[in-house]
Amino acid sequence: MNEIIHKKPIVFRSNVEKKSKYSDYRDDLRVDFWYSCAYCSMTEDEACGIGFEIDHYLPQNFHPALSNDYNNLMWSCQKCNSLKRDYNPNDSDTEKGLMIIRPDNENPSYHFKLNYNKLEGKTITGEFNIVYLALNRMQLQKLGMIRKKFYESSEYIKQGIKSIASIKIDRIDKKNRFLFEKMKKHIIERQKILEDPESVSSILKVFGKSELIDSDPEKRKQLKSRKNYLKQQRAITVPKL
Ligand SMILES: [Zn+2]
């Protein structure tokens, strides 16, 4: 059973055409990674739209040839990216399983199980990732609690929808039947959405996204006018943003 999960990645990369620099892949990565961190799974929205970056799975310092290779780029929250740093396992590390899990290669749930709000490693790789990326940090434990409540309530809502959809019309008072039929039709449409994995995927993508970190079309213009303004003010050096 575990073998089957192991082989099923949860991130599928789109066929993206070659771009001149790695930062140009930003929006492709956001979509392909469900607007979520590749390592801790926090969504942009859960992170309140701050602190997401492009990570080089194999670090640029050791693998410069892969610097602009889409398959080597991951969408990561700032915290995971700073903890991962330039981790570059050698053959012996890889053999021992001391490698960072990539969700476009395998399913992380093969390596982890959830015990209340804490992750536990099911494999050496799982244990290594929990420690190396601090996957039981307080922020992620709290996030786990919020998600749990959300999933429990969505199950509750699904049950409610099912029971309303199964009510027979002759049990409804005659004067309310028209209204009931209308409501039932609406509810059944919603039920179809909840049961269709494709629809659920697109809903999840919408919920994970934070518009706060969408590319800023004005950025280049703003940087230029900032630089000019600071030069005019005789600032000796222009601090980087
Ligand atoms: Zn993260």
Side-chain angles (χ1 to χ4, degrees), residues 179-239:
L179 192 67
F180 175 76
E181 276 299 305
K182 211 172 147 187
M183 190 179 83
K184 188 172 164 181
K185 191 169 164 251
H186 183 70
I187 283 171
I188 288 172
E189 276 165 15
R190 290 287 174 279
Q191 187 182 17
K192 277 183 197 155
I193 291 173
L194 283 172
E195 282 169 0
D196 173 13
E198 278 301 310
S199 316
V200 173
S201 299
S202 50
I203 291 170
L204 283 174
K205 287 207 172 189
V206 171
F207 278 125
K209 184 175 188 246
S210 170
E211 289 177 6
L212 294 177
I213 55 171
D214 281 352
S215 302
D216 179 0
E218 296 279 302
K219 191 177 173 186
R220 197 179 286 266
K221 216 167 108 188
Q222 282 176 5
L223 284 176
K224 206 173 163 188
S225 74
R226 175 176 172 272
K227 203 172 164 184
N228 288 339
Y229 171 82
L230 290 174
K231 265 189 184 165
Q232 276 172 13
Q233 302 308 315
R234 296 174 182 270
I236 296 165
T237 49
V238 180

Side-chain angles (χ1 to χ4, degrees), residues 37-42 76-81 135 137 140:
C37 173
Y39 307 116
C40 72
S41 87
M42 184 190 292
S76 167
C77 78
Q78 222 165 39
K79 186 72 187 168
C80 287
N81 200 14
L135 295 179
R137 53 190 189 256
L140 295 178

